[in-house]
Amino acid sequence: MTLSVMVYVEGQSDVKGMEALLRPLLDQKAEQGVKINFYEAPPGDKKASLMTKTPANAVKILKNNPYAHVVVMPDLYPLNKAVPHETPQQLKAVIRDRFTQALQREGLADDQRYHKRFAVFCFKYDLEALVLSALQPLALRLGVKVIQPTWRLPVEDQNNDTPPKKVVEALFKKHHTHYRETVDAVGIMGGVSDYRTIAQACPQEFAPFVMYLEGLSAG
């Protein structure tokens, strides 16, 4: 029996970045019978789609495959997108409420097996929080020996007015180049020697996601 874990994120850079950073863990889990795949949200307002449409789609997936797990992982930035929310807790509560409502329409809200196979996390505030935590690969990408952080630490304490992505864009501009998230973020994530160092640098929201993946078992 293979456990199928479907992780829905906003963009292609999130998909490829997570695959690059977490490759050792994904391979390890595959050997244990846990297949983890990342999926990009459909075109359009991707965060809104993850928040309002993916929960109902998750119910369909879980009904059709008893060995499936669904994870929804949008960015916290920008705040109040689609539905009012200003904290990770509020964002995740919105998505869980939509999931419960979808279960209720199917008469399944009291079946805890569905709730146990559905998980919600978020990037705080976006994938670039992880990029800023990968100082050595980031410096290498910029062609310098070292990067001295000028942003808040831990980086997940960066704010919504200047989210990590804007910090990264300004940093690349300072070094006379343009940040291409689908190329640069993926390259930097792939240059991290141990994904656990990034989890340690991002303990608020990313570390719990890593712990969730590490704890998955086909048994």
Side-chain angles (χ1 to χ4, degrees), residues 135-149:
L135 290 178
Q136 186 174 357
L138 175 59
L140 181 64
R141 196 77 181 180
L142 291 172
V144 298
K145 291 184 178 180
V146 65
I147 294 288
Q148 294 294 340

Side-chain angles (χ1 to χ4, degrees), residues 91-206:
L91 170 62
K92 289 181 278 190
V94 166
I95 296 172
R96 284 205 163 275
D97 286 346
R98 293 295 177 104
F99 178 71
T100 299
Q101 292 169 12
L103 284 175
Q104 288 173 338
R105 291 194 291 270
E106 299 289 334
L108 299 170
D110 294 330
D111 192 332
Q112 294 303 310
R113 292 174 297 180
Y114 288 95
H115 294 279
K116 291 178 180 178
R117 292 191 289 131
F118 182 74
V120 187
F121 300 92
C122 75
F123 291 105
K124 187 186 178 195
Y125 284 81
D126 46 39
L127 176 70
E128 281 70 21
L130 282 55
V131 171
L132 291 175
S133 300
L135 290 178
Q136 186 174 357
L138 175 59
L140 181 64
R141 196 77 181 180
L142 291 172
V144 298
K145 291 184 178 180
V146 65
I147 294 288
Q148 294 294 340
T150 57
W151 49 89
R152 291 187 182 183
L153 295 175
V155 69
E156 287 178 313
D157 281 339
Q158 193 66 27
N159 58 62
N160 187 66
D161 294 328
T162 312
K165 184 175 181 179
K166 289 187 178 180
V167 176
V168 171
E169 289 173 339
L171 189 60
F172 270 68
K173 185 176 181 180
K174 178 181 177 181
H175 288 83
H176 310 291
T177 186
H178 178 69
Y179 177 60
R180 303 159 297 169
E181 59 185 23
T182 55
V183 176
D184 295 312
V186 176
I188 291 167
M189 291 293 90
V192 175
S193 59
D194 188 340
Y195 70 89
R196 289 169 292 190
T197 63
I198 304 301
Q200 290 169 1
C202 300
Q204 298 172 20
E205 296 301 324
F206 185 63

